[in-house]
Amino acid sequence: QSALTQPPSVSGSPGQSVAISCTGTRSDVGRYNHVSWYQQPPGSAPRLLIVEVSRRPSGVPDRFSGSKSGNTASLTISGLQPEDEADYYCSSFTDTTTWVFGGGTKVTVL
Amino acid sequence: EVQLVESGGALVQPGGSLRLSCAASGFIFDRHGMNWVRQAPGKGLEWIAHISDKSLSIYYADSVKGRFTISRDNARNSVSLQMNSLRVEDTAIYYCARDNYWASDYWGRGTMVTVSS
């Protein structure tokens, strides 16, 4: 199972919006709504941000939003804040009953 | 409060074995599947194993299939990962995570496994 494709890095100034894409195939992102997003600050464990494409767990700020179109899912951070600087990973369930992660995207707040 | 605490990480030689454990608390353990996810130094996340709530369904990534075995003890609220035939490329932080709606919603802090001669 190949990793989902994410851009290596994105950046933005405080208050701006940034979007991270996550491209898979018809066997994973395109087939299921079991797409999730994670935030991992340096030296920390990952934290769940988005589940089932677009649902935010309790405690996740509403500036984080998710969507999906075809084989590509997206995470948008609206109103970028300094504490949003971290690595972000997408993940999808697949038709071989496994999970696959994206390669990760480093978000830099300028 | 949900807590997951991994243990068992160590330095081991190639070809060796290691058993990781994850102690869970703060939730009804036998109502959730559990995942192991690893992260090699400076690299991204890699899902490696899943076990369902009652151990009826078990899945592995191709990279560890046949070498690693996931198991759980619902009486002790714990999940384990038996790792055999370890390779240098298995060097990573190993995270235990709770499964919820096909996502890992709570994570432990991880335990470091180093495979080196």
Side-chain angles (χ1 to χ4, degrees):
Chain A
Q1 184 71 41
S2 299
L4 306 176
T5 301
Q6 297 181 232
S9 63
V10 299
S11 61
S13 300
Q16 286 187 331
S17 292
V18 296
I20 303 169
S21 60
C22 169
T23 301
T25 68
R26 290 179 297 177
S27 298
D28 39 62
V29 175
R31 180 164 183 169
Y32 301 101
N33 284 331
H34 306 322
V35 176
S36 50
W37 288 90
Y38 302 86
Q39 177 193 59
Q40 187 179 32
S44 297
R47 167 200 179 195
L48 178 66
L49 288 179
I50 298 288
V51 63
E52 296 292 278
V53 176
S54 60
R55 188 163 58 88
R56 280 188 310 277
S58 174
V60 175
D62 60 7
R63 65 178 184 275
F64 293 97
S65 62
S67 62
K68 188 184 88 167
S69 178
N71 296 339
T72 298
S74 297
L75 174 72
T76 299
I77 309 174
S78 304
L80 199 61
Q81 298 190 5
E83 60 265 33
D84 297 334
E85 192 158 285
D87 293 327
Y88 291 80
Y89 295 90
C90 62
S91 177
S92 176
F93 185 68
T94 80
D95 64 359
T96 54
T97 54
T98 58
W99 281 258
V100 61
F101 281 94
T105 298
K106 182 177 180 60
V107 171
T108 301
V109 182
L110 302 172
Chain B
E1 177 192 5
V2 173
Q3 285 197 326
L4 299 168
V5 180
E6 302 92 340
S7 61
L11 170 64
V12 61
Q13 291 189 336
S17 297
L18 205 59
R19 186 178 183 86
L20 306 183
S21 296
C22 172
S25 61
F27 65 101
I28 301 175
F29 185 69
D30 66 3
R31 291 189 183 177
H32 289 270
M34 298 295 293
N35 294 311
W36 284 97
V37 177
R38 69 184 180 183
Q39 186 170 32
K43 302 297 184 182
L45 301 174
E46 179 188 15
W47 170 84
I48 56 172
H50 168 91
I51 186 166
S52 63
D53 53 0
K54 304 297 192 292
S55 304
L56 294 179
S57 299
I58 291 175
Y59 309 117
Y60 298 99
D62 287 345
S63 58
V64 306
K65 196 176 296 183
R67 300 187 300 123
F68 290 11
T69 302
I70 189 172
S71 62
R72 65 188 294 160
D73 184 340
N74 285 349
R76 296 176 184 265
N77 287 0
S78 69
V79 60
S80 298
L81 186 69
Q82 176 67 41
M83 304 186 296
N84 298 330
S85 303
L86 282 162
R87 305 167 180 167
V88 171
E89 55 265 35
D90 293 320
T91 294
I93 297 173
Y94 284 72
Y95 294 103
C96 162
R98 188 181 83 166
D99 185 83
N100 201 17
Y101 290 97
W102 294 273
S104 292
D105 64 347
Y106 286 93
W107 298 62
R109 293 187 177 183
T111 187
M112 184 70 203
V113 172
T114 303
V115 184
S116 175
S117 54

